[in-house]
Each structure stands twice: as structure tokens, then as C-alpha cells.
Amino acid sequence: MTTRLVQIAMDAGDDSVLGRFWAEALDWNSSVEEPGVVTNLQPRDFAYPDPVAVCIDVITVPEPKTVKNRVHIDLATASAAHQAALVARLEDLGATPVDVGQGDVPWTVLADPEGNEFCVAEPREIYRDTGPIAAIVADCTDPRAMARFWGRAMDWTLHEVTDAHALLRSAEGVGPYLRLVRTPDAKTVKNRVHLDLRPCPGDDPAAEAARLRALGAADIDLGQGDVPWTCLVDPEGNEFDILTPR
């Protein structure tokens, strides 16, 4: 039994506004799942779910952003000219440069219109076939332990691991990477960006949640009430959801 990473859930003050920014940034389709609550984003001509892409759900929440996000997106580029052009286009859409202490690095750090940090990566061979989202990047204190958890949780392949970072990708070798980066900063608030996982058709979501708890996940009450999904946290307290099979 395993479960699939199907989407990134992104909190927003206004799902329609932030959804429009990311749809234009990625050149993806957007659709309203629930007016004023959830906007869905996915690639054009995409048959959901498919590991070739991780979709995005933008969700309106009342809480404002208060700290640097522990989970963010890296965007892929094919050349230095493409990187510069993409940064310029994103700024035209409403992104702004942001200093998170990155220093002199070859990638560009921006924030979307609601302040969510993301990076426009310099051209990297490893990202040449990922699609527009090169990687989902998560801060952590122990990349090795987190790689073990997420690799087993999703049956993803480990490509690199050191004390400083770990890199995983789907067993099919498609779609974005999951990059786990060591940071000294402790988690202090609920993440505004989290992962949604979905069991395969016919699988039992309760059994899948039990399997993930055995790997080190734990239940969390976020005030979600009676919902069809299960809210869990990974071994470092990062929230994620187990959706219904599909």
C-alpha cells in the first residue's frame, strides 16, 4: 500500500486572487471548486491525478501570513535568458523580490502577492523535465530522517541525501522533486503550504493513515471538524492531508 502526492494546498486571504496569480505564473488552468473558498489549478490537458504534475489548491483562510513559509515552490528555467524573462514576467504579475537571508545565490527569491516565498531556479540539468514546478522545498532539522519518512510514505526514490539536504522524486521519475533542506529555524505556526496525498482507488484511507502513523506521522486537530479527509503531521510537525481514494 502507498499513497500518491497529488497536490499542494496553499492558504490565502483570497483564493481567487492568489489562484489567478499562480495560474498565470504557471500557465495552468484554474477552476472554482467552492466560490470564495477553494480554487483548483492544474496543467492544461491534464488527467488528474498523474505523477507528471503536482496540482495546486488555493484555499481561503482567515489567518494572515506572519512568518517565512517552511514549504515553498522552486520554478524551473531552461537558460539564463529564460530565468531573467520569467522573473520579469512574474514581477509584472505582482511578485516582488524578497530577502530571506539567501545571500549571493544563482536563484532568484520572490514573494507572490500574498507574501509567499518562492524561488526561480537557475538552469539545472536535474530540472530539465519537471515541468514548471521544479521542486517542492521543505525546511527541516533532520533531512535524513525526513527523507526516510517521506520516501516510505509515498514510495518515492531517494536521489541525494546528506546532513544538509535530501532530494526525492516519484518512482516513475516524473514531475517535481521534493527537496528537504536543513534549517536552524524551528516551526512555530501552522504551515500555509502543505501537501495533500491521495490513496489509490479501492484503498482504505483509514488503513493508509494508520500506516503513516506507524512510520512516524501523528494526528492533529486544526479545527477541521467532520471532514472526509484526515489531517496528520509528519515527524517534524508539518501538516499534510490524506484525501479520499480516487
Side-chain angles (χ1 to χ4, degrees):
M1 184 185 297
T2 188
T3 192
R4 301 161 294 166
L5 174 59
V6 292
Q7 61 204 32
I8 301 161
M10 185 179 298
D11 290 351
D14 187 325
D15 64 286
S16 62
V17 172
L18 194 60
R20 184 164 55 251
F21 168 83
W22 279 108
E24 293 178 0
L26 300 169
D27 191 26
W28 283 10
N29 287 331
S30 67
S31 60
V32 176
E33 178 177 327
E34 186 175 350
V37 180
V38 184
T39 296
N40 304 136
L41 310 177
Q42 66 181 40
R44 302 179 190 277
D45 302 317
F46 178 76
Y48 176 96
D50 188 323
V52 72
V54 177
C55 300
I56 297 177
D57 269 9
V58 184
I59 305 164
T60 294
V61 299
E63 302 85 9
K65 183 179 186 294
T66 57
V67 299
K68 172 184 171 292
N69 288 350
R70 293 184 67 81
V71 181
H72 71 265
I73 295 170
D74 278 2
L75 302 183
T77 61
S79 66
H82 180 207
Q83 182 184 14
L86 179 56
V87 169
R89 186 171 73 82
L90 293 166
E91 290 180 342
D92 286 343
L93 292 174
T96 54
V98 63
D99 185 351
V100 293
Q102 67 268 23
D104 185 17
V105 293
W107 56 88
T108 302
V109 184
L110 300 173
D112 70 20
E114 291 212 0
N116 299 297
E117 303 84 4
F118 66 98
C119 297
V120 180
E122 75 284 5
R124 302 183 195 181
E125 179 64 22
I126 193 173
Y127 291 160
R128 62 182 172 80
D129 63 349
T130 60
I133 300 178
I136 302 159
V137 183
D139 293 348
C140 63
T141 60
D142 189 342
R144 293 184 185 275
M146 289 285 279
R148 283 193 298 273
F149 172 81
W150 283 106
R152 293 168 182 168
M154 304 186 298
D155 191 29
W156 276 30
T157 301
L158 181 64
H159 287 262
E160 299 174 16
V161 62
T162 69
D163 290 341
H165 77 276
L167 191 67
L168 303 94
R169 198 182 194 192
S170 73
E172 292 88 345
V174 296
Y177 288 82
L178 175 63
R179 183 179 290 275
L180 305 166
V181 180
R182 187 177 66 185
T183 175
D185 303 323
K187 183 176 184 291
T188 57
V189 299
K190 171 184 172 290
N191 288 344
R192 290 184 72 81
V193 179
H194 70 262
L195 304 182
D196 282 348
L197 303 133
R198 192 181 291 279
C200 295
D203 283 350
D204 180 356
E208 181 59 14
R211 184 183 72 87
L212 295 173
R213 293 185 193 100
L215 292 176
D219 292 285
I220 186 168
D221 186 351
L222 299 168
Q224 65 268 20
D226 183 17
V227 293
W229 59 87
T230 301
C231 298
L232 299 173
V233 292
D234 70 17
E236 291 204 6
N238 299 295
E239 302 85 5
F240 68 98
D241 292 338
I242 303 297
L243 308 179
T244 55
R246 179 174 167 187

